[in-house]
Amino acid sequence: MDPIAPAAPRRAALIFIFVTVLIDILSFGLIIPVLPHLIESFLDGDVSRAAIWYGWFATAFMAMQFLFTPVQGALSDRFGRRKVILASNLGLGLDFLMMAMVHSLPLLFIGRIVSGITAASFSTANAYIADVTPPQKRAQAFGMIGMAFGIGFVIAPAIGGFLGEMNQRAPFWVAVALCLANFVYGVFVLPESLPPEKRSPRFDWRHANPIGSLRLLARYPQVIGLVGVLFLMALAHMVYPSTFVLYADYRFGWGPQMVGYTLAAVGVLAAIVQGVLIKKIVGSLGERRALMLGLACGTLGFALYALAPNGYWFWAAMPIAALWGVSTPAAQAMMTHHVDPAEQGRLQGAVASLSSIAGIIAPTLFTRAFAAVTGAHLHDAWAGVTFAISAAMVGLGWIIAWRTTAHLPPVQAATAPVAAFGPPVVADVDDLVARPAPARE
């Protein structure tokens, strides 16, 4: 029988959840600089074919995240958080072990699918925190998860790039060690947070449905435009994991180490914007102007990336592109003013679902475009076609945001939506897809 956590927060348990998320992010970040090159090595160095295959890898991973995040959440409601989290840690470790050893592209692809399934545990980690933390301290606890994301995405690509320069498989072996060590640590440290009397009596597929929360959006037509902006931003952002590694090699001749350092710098800039500048910019300009500024910087930054003739130009554009990070929190804050307080969780779940859908669509779009360019042996500005597409997406988002926010009613207490705009959403939808943390890649 699983040990049951006491009512008071368990410091060791919270530390374990923090470490779990951090190690998950580290393990995935480690392989970012080397996975595209590993795929390329199976294809005799054909960059175009490698780009297409990498698009399939990314699409399959995000599809598994989309499908299995609510499934893992429902399983944890039925069988307890501890079992699901530990199973995820063990599954990830074994999957990275497989990916470190295989010498076949189809087997590597299967490994990526399995990693997408086993990695969908953030909803369970967030549920664990809610179980063991008093309401007044949950924001701080969830902030720890955000900090784990930030730390992982800053240091992992740099370490992965350094290891990848020595051996292409080395980052996978380090990821194996991290995941399995995390599993062993959890077996001895992590208590159960959900006592049997509070668990769901059965596994209910309504709680494992990744689509249901999207029905909520039809009930709030006044925020549909902002939802569309967030969807376009999620699509545009996928250019980084989809093509950046292959693009940097093709355009600038960068290896895994330089790519890792660049991604680490992107993480640092994002942390500065998210942790320091957002409050000042929104406080000074207001939410609408902050949103428009962020979208303008994103459009300009991606355009400069697309035109970059060398790495120095690309690096110079990074601070401009980083200010794009102001857009998402500004848009989300504006949406919350016009949605009923009782349905804020469902709103965030719907936005998360749309982000996952963007993660399924975007890799194929970007990798196919990049493959067309490299297959035709085009260079110069043509090599940056994927960043040009992202610039167009964010620019379209700017236009939609301008038109939408100009007609939003003054901020006031949100009222219940008019039933005529869509069918009622069942109460069980609350927990379907809501997951404050983003899908990993």
Side-chain angles (χ1 to χ4, degrees):
M1 180 180 295
D2 294 335
I4 304 298
R10 287 287 302 272
R11 180 174 177 81
L14 288 175
I15 291 174
F16 175 83
I17 295 298
F18 173 83
V19 172
T20 292
V21 173
L22 176 60
I23 288 180
D24 280 358
I25 296 301
L26 283 173
S27 61
F28 280 94
L30 283 169
I31 69 171
I32 288 175
V34 295
L35 180 59
H37 293 298
L38 182 60
I39 294 171
E40 189 178 354
S41 70
F42 288 122
L43 300 169
D44 300 321
D46 188 327
V47 178
S48 297
R49 290 175 63 201
I52 292 173
W53 267 98
Y54 188 63
W56 291 340
F57 271 63
T59 296
F61 180 90
M62 292 304 298
M64 294 304 102
Q65 289 270 289
F66 177 65
L67 292 172
F68 283 91
T69 293
V71 170
Q72 284 205 19
L75 286 172
S76 74
D77 287 341
R78 173 65 183 90
F79 300 105
R81 319 293 189 208
R82 183 176 190 268
K83 292 177 181 177
V84 173
I85 291 172
L86 292 180
S88 176
N89 290 340
L90 179 61
L92 275 178
L94 296 177
D95 179 57
F96 280 125
L97 178 63
M98 172 186 171
M99 295 175 72
M101 298 177 65
V102 298
H103 293 279
S104 163
L105 193 57
L107 288 177
L108 189 68
F109 183 73
I110 292 172
R112 194 61 172 164
I113 290 175
V114 174
S115 65
I117 295 172
T118 56
S121 59
F122 283 117
S123 59
T124 306
N126 287 325
Y128 191 105
I129 289 175
D131 290 341
V132 303
T133 309
Q136 67 273 19
K137 294 186 178 181
R138 283 176 189 164
Q140 180 181 355
F142 284 127
M144 290 174 55
I145 301 297
M147 184 169 64
F149 267 87
I151 294 172
F153 277 122
V154 167
I155 66 176
I159 297 173
F162 175 76
L163 294 172
E165 288 286 348
M166 296 186 292
N167 187 295
Q168 211 168 49
R169 305 278 182 148
F172 290 92
W173 287 109
V174 174
V176 171
L178 288 173
C179 291
L180 294 183
N182 203 24
F183 168 74
V184 173
Y185 173 50
V187 168
F188 294 102
V189 173
L190 185 67
E192 177 55 68
S193 65
L194 188 66
E197 63 272 14
K198 292 186 178 180
R199 297 177 190 175
S200 298
R202 60 188 177 87
F203 178 78
D204 191 343
W205 280 105
R206 290 179 301 169
H207 288 246
N209 173 11
I211 302 296
S213 65
L214 293 177
R215 293 164 53 193
L216 171 73
L217 298 178
R219 304 174 65 190
Y220 290 100
Q222 67 268 37
V223 300
I224 289 295
L226 288 173
V227 171
V229 172
L230 288 173
F231 180 70
L232 286 169
M233 287 195 287
L235 277 174
H237 187 268
M238 286 301 296
V239 71
Y240 289 111
S242 297
T243 60
F244 176 67
V245 175
L246 294 174
Y247 163 79
D249 186 13
Y250 184 78
R251 186 86 183 263
F252 308 133
W254 288 353
Q257 188 169 3
M258 185 60 71
V259 167
Y261 291 158
T262 301
L263 290 175
V266 169
V268 170
L269 290 171
I272 293 173
V273 171
Q274 297 285 340
V276 179
L277 297 183
I278 282 181
K279 182 178 180 180
K280 295 181 179 179
I281 292 174
V282 173
S284 175
L285 300 180
E287 292 169 353
R288 182 173 186 264
R289 291 181 179 178
L291 171 62
M292 304 311 301
L293 172 65
L295 290 170
C297 289
T299 303
L300 177 60
F302 279 129
L304 292 174
Y305 285 163
L307 298 171
N310 52 56
Y312 296 110
W313 180 298
F314 192 94
W315 292 330
M318 283 165 52
I320 298 173
L323 288 171
W324 179 39
V326 175
S327 301
T328 298
Q332 288 180 322
M334 294 181 71
M335 289 170 62
T336 62
H337 300 320
H338 302 280
V339 174
D340 189 271
E343 295 189 321
Q344 296 292 341
R346 299 182 194 181
L347 170 67
Q348 298 306 321
V351 171
S353 293
L354 285 174
S355 296
S356 295
I357 293 172
I360 295 171
I361 297 171
T364 299
L365 170 66
F366 287 126
T367 55
R368 291 281 178 170
F370 185 71
V373 167
T374 55
H377 304 289
L378 300 175
H379 291 274
D380 299 323
W382 282 105
V385 64
T386 56
F387 285 103
I389 293 172
S390 290
M393 290 176 176
V394 181
L396 177 60
W398 189 95
I399 295 172
I400 294 173
W402 177 269
R403 293 177 61 88
T404 299
T405 58
H407 298 92
L408 279 178
V411 174
Q412 56 186 354
T415 58
V418 179
F421 289 113
V425 179
V426 296
D428 289 338
V429 173
D430 289 71
D431 301 320
L432 294 188
V433 198
R435 48 186 174 119
R440 294 166 291 179
E441 168 59 44

